[in-house]
């Protein structure tokens, strides 16, 4: 199984081309789209989407992830391996949460053009679509059984690029964090992670600000939330989220990604 | 084959996570997306999309349908069986048109956690994403050959929730109905169903209002419709629709879902 | 493998229905979405998306392409064959770039209803959704091994509809062309094709106008482009494109598809 995550959108045939290439090289592959709607060039949003999905992927998954503002520059193209789990994509921090969650076994730089796409009509490899020309063929060859080490030169896993990946922290009875992402429903997912979520929901009372808004209510499901008021809920990602019952919290509150969050526990 | 229909959108990895879970449990499954663009929490729109697709699905289809504003509340999670056809989803009326079309053979409530998702890192089951934690694993186990009755306790099919599902009706030479849905092209699909469509198109003349607009023209295909005028056409769903040739009828007419429709036949 | 390209969008279940029909007739088929976001009824945009993807498709691909403003009129439904590669769709010019790239071996008109969809509930074939009623079943039967000639009557390949498909041309040191398409990232892809791209990038200097804007900079990758200025780059489609580093060139420049382009080489 190859899981795909990109910022390519679905209005062009970029993703379809990558899939066609994979199925040409490895016809038995099963393809799963995580999402292709990562905001263009937004490595952090891509890393978050990947982090959310990873615990639910099959153990021998190949993650083909392409959010790649540096395509065609000197940023490295890499494959990273944790046991039977492999990441294929640019070395620009997209894999950060995976690297933080578990130290990888090994990594390679994709420096062997003989395993890239054989260009039709003897075109040169593109400098703008390595998803097609490098990453998809490499993922397909891995799925097809090529040994990891054949596809590139070994590199030190400590050299892999990591982006800043801040989690909310607690200081006394104050949790300080921010809004990590706004989901399709307009729920605000914060970086208040599994260690602090329980405290937020078990406190007798809370006093919380999100940007310039107050959000005091708490509920364990959307349906149990108050009407006409934003409320905290335990998001399925394991983080604390803010929702509006039958409404779009982000739009109603006017809150966007990155907004700071402060929760006082009582 | 499992057919998926949700209001999850495709900008997050919700759908990808469900698919990854299914493929982990039942790797041989073929997945078909009906749509994930049901407006958030809109059970009626989800029921319509399901109803439109059902006649064209393989006979042994498992329909995994999640439009679930009551997730985490006391609304039941169910599986419903008609011969080899199975619906898995919330018991909130989403299956109404299927229940109206044919009495089901049996139904169960999904009350056996041992068949739900084995949570990674011993997390608790979420109260906001039963698509991931209950419905996808159950659908996957059914696809994998688990007997229906193993997965939950039998319930009376008469107890299944049904939402109001009004069809247009004829009284004398007047058909009264409403706009059920606006499709991707801006066509207005009405609840004037197969029994009345023929009458609308065979009448010598019609006099029709849709909201505050007059739509008199009729055509049997888009290309045969008049230019610069809205016209009735027989939609592929078996219902009467209103289109604008090479244009978006909903936008041009300013008509939305739910608008009332009145057709006088001559 | 069947590759799908339509203007059906993904908000309705049109595409899901086509896939379900294919999997019912030919359960072993692998389906790849090229895109379903072709602007409604825009044959030229569909032809471009198809042309871009074709060089990367498996050799024995069946392309099921439906952008079909004339559905239900006298426009022909056809299948076209180049060796093991087959196009199934309306005869309205959607296949133009494929026909220009290589003369087909043979073509048929889909005039044998016994191979179309067996309508549920003995409905009549629709006049608005031949994707469901004709093209998907025909593509599925081809994938399932039906001989091409069984599915319709032979027609002269010279009779297939071709739309105007202009490429940029060079006259002295002036290249004259236009913007073919705007991609998901806002890059402007021009009709300056592979013959002229090299000249544009190898010239000592250029002086270029796109609509009423000047675009002089050139770069071989996005990351190598200047900041705060539009620049030419070699697009992965083999055409010359115009991008804005970490931005949406089309929005920033206010340029849309069809805008004329003039490049003076020095």
């Amino acid at each position: 199984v190859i899981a795909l995550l990109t910022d390519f959108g679905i209005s062009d045939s970029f993703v379809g081309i990558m899939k066609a290439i994979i199925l040409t090289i490895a016809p038995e592959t099963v393809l799963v789209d995580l999402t292709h709607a990562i905001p263009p060039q937004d490595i952090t949003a891509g890393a978050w989407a990947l982090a959310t999905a990873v615990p639910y992927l099959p153990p021998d998954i190949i993650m083909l992830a392409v959010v790649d503002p540096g395509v065609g520059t000197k940023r490295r193209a890499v494959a990273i391996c944790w046991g039977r789990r492999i990441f294929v994509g640019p070395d620009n921090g997209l894999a950060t949460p995976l690297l933080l969650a578990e130290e990888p076994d090994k990594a390679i730089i994709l420096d062997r053009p003989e395993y890239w796409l054989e260009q039709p009509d003897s075109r040169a490899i593109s400098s703008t679509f390595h998803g097609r020309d490098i990453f998809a063929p490499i993922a397909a060859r891995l799925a097809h059984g090529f040994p990891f080490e054949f596809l590139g030169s070994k590199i030190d896993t400590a050299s892999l690029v990591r982006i800043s990946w801040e989690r909310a922290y607690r200081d006394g009875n104050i949790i300080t964090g921010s809004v990590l992402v706004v989901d399709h429903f307009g729920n605000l997912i914060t970086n208040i992670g599994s260690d602090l979520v329980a405290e937020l929901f078990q406190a007798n009372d809370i006093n919380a600000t999100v940007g310039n808004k107050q959000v005091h209510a708490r509920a364990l499901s959307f349906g149990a939330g108050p009407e006409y008021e934003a409320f905290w809920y335990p998001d399925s990602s394991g983080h604390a989220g803010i929702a509006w019952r039958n409404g779009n919290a982000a739009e109603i509150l006017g809150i966007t990604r990155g907004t700071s969050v402060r929760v006082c526990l009582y």
Side-chain angles (χ1 to χ4, degrees), chain A:
Chain A
V1 182
I2 296 179
L4 296 97
L5 179 139
T6 75
D7 64 346
F8 292 167
I10 54 167
S11 54
D12 305 292
S13 45
F14 299 136
V15 173
I17 288 172
M18 287 175 62
K19 292 181 178 174
I21 287 167
I22 293 169
L23 292 170
T24 304
I25 295 174
E28 70 290 357
T29 309
V30 174
L31 297 164
V32 175
D33 296 302
L34 295 179
T35 178
H36 300 291
I38 302 300
Q41 285 114 29
D42 190 334
I43 296 168
T44 305
W48 162 257
L50 206 52
T52 312
V54 159
Y56 302 97
L57 299 178
D60 56 350
I61 193 79
I62 295 166
M63 292 169 277
L64 172 51
V66 192
V67 178
D68 195 8
V71 60
T73 65
K74 284 180 183 167
R75 73 93 187 85
R76 302 186 296 187
V78 296
I80 312 171
C81 177
W82 300 256
R84 295 155 64 202
R85 217 166 248 197
I86 298 176
F87 167 98
V88 176
D91 180 30
N92 61 10
L94 193 53
T96 300
L98 314 187
L99 296 172
L100 294 178
E102 192 181 342
E103 191 55 33
D105 297 327
K106 50 189 174 182
I108 53 174
I109 176 169
L110 305 174
D111 56 359
R112 302 196 180 148
E114 62 269 33
Y115 298 118
W116 301 353
L117 184 68
E118 201 180 324
Q119 296 291 319
D121 320 325
S122 350
R123 292 183 192 178
I125 184 178
S126 78
S127 55
T128 57
F129 193 4
H130 286 184
R132 178 190 73 191
D133 293 341
I134 300 180
F135 300 123
I138 291 290
R141 291 190 210 285
L142 286 165
H144 203 51
F146 265 68
F148 186 81
E149 287 80 2
F150 275 35
L151 299 171
S153 307
K154 261 201 153 173
I155 54 172
D156 184 356
T157 59
S159 74
L160 293 165
V161 173
R162 287 146 209 251
I163 53 175
S164 129
W165 195 253
E166 284 176 25
R167 307 191 62 179
Y169 60 90
R170 175 172 178 172
D171 187 3
N173 69 332
I174 306 286
I175 298 173
T176 304
S178 63
V179 175
L180 257 178
V181 77
V182 175
D183 78 9
H184 171 71
F185 297 95
N187 300 321
L188 307 165
I189 319 300
T190 73
N191 66 349
I192 301 174
S194 45
D195 48 336
L196 297 172
V197 165
E199 304 191 25
L200 193 156
F201 285 93
Q202 285 161 11
N204 288 325
D205 199 4
I206 64 168
N207 191 333
T209 55
V210 181
N212 60 354
K213 308 286 177 180
Q214 306 281 323
V215 181
H216 297 323
R218 291 172 292 174
L220 294 179
S221 70
F222 298 126
E227 290 194 273
Y228 313 118
E229 189 186 345
F231 58 91
W232 291 91
Y233 76 96
D235 186 65
S236 61
S237 61
H239 289 232
I242 295 167
W244 191 286
R245 189 169 166 185
N246 295 326
N248 185 304
E251 282 181 12
I252 296 168
L253 299 175
I255 300 279
T256 55
R257 213 175 103 196
T259 302
S260 63
V261 170
R262 190 172 176 283
V263 184
C264 190
L265 308 171
Y266 298 106

